[in-house]
C-alpha cells in the first residue's frame, strides 16, 4: 500500500513540476510579447507624433488615431517620451479632415 501511495505522490509531484515549468515559460513569453507590442506602439506613436508636429497641425481623424495608439501604449506602461509627444500633438491646431 505504501509503495503505491509513494508512486502516486511521486507522479503527482512530477506533474506539478511540469505545470509550474510550463507556467513560468508562458509568463516569460507573455512578458516578451508585451514588451514587443509596447515597442511597436512606441515606434508608431513616435513616428506619427513627429510627423504631425513637423506639419504643425493635425486633423480630427489623425488625432483620434494618435489617441488610440497612445491609450494602448499608456495601458501597457509606456514611459514619458510617448506621453510628452502625445501631449504636444494634442496642442496642435486642428485642420479640417479631407473628404
Amino acid at each position: 500500500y505504501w509503495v503505491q501511495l509513494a508512486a502516486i505522490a511521486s507522479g503527482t509531484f512530477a506533474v506539478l513540476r511540469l505545470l509550474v515549468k510550463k507556467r513560468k515559460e508562458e509568463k516569460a513569453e507573455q512578458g516578451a510579447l508585451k514588451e514587443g507590442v509596447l515597442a511597436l506602439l512606441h515606434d508608431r506613436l513616435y513616428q506619427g507624433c513627429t510627423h504631425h508636429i513637423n506639419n504643425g497641425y493635425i486633423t480630427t481623424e489623425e488625432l483620434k488615431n494618435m489617441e488610440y495608439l497612445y491609450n494602448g501604449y499608456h495601458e501597457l506602461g509606456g514611459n514619458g517620451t510617448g506621453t510628452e509627444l502625445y501631449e504636444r500633438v494634442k496642442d496642435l491646431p486642428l485642420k479640417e479632415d479631407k473628404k
Side-chain angles (χ1 to χ4, degrees):
Y1 170 77
W2 293 109
V3 173
Q4 290 175 336
L5 188 58
I8 291 170
S10 176
T12 301
F13 287 124
V15 168
L16 286 174
R17 279 193 302 272
L18 282 172
L19 290 173
V20 168
K21 180 182 177 188
K22 181 72 172 162
R23 177 64 184 129
K24 284 181 182 179
E25 290 170 355
E26 288 172 351
K27 194 171 183 179
E29 182 179 16
Q30 184 179 14
L33 287 170
K34 177 184 173 184
E35 289 300 314
V37 169
L38 186 59
L40 289 171
L41 286 169
H42 183 273
D43 179 64
R44 288 300 304 131
L45 191 60
Y46 179 85
Q47 293 295 325
C49 288
T50 302
H51 170 77
H52 297 302
I53 290 167
N54 288 338
N55 281 347
Y57 66 88
I58 192 165
T59 68
T60 304
E61 287 300 314
E62 291 166 338
L63 184 57
K64 285 180 187 175
N65 187 52
M66 290 293 98
E67 179 182 14
Y68 185 69
L69 288 170
Y70 175 75
N71 287 341
Y73 169 80
H74 184 71
E75 286 295 317
L76 287 174
N79 66 18
T81 305
T83 300
E84 180 183 328
L85 286 169
Y86 177 63
E87 292 298 326
R88 288 177 59 193
V89 164
K90 287 190 332 185
D91 290 337
L92 289 172
L94 285 176
K95 185 175 180 181
E96 276 192 43
D97 292 329
K98 299 171 189 166
K99 295 183 181 187

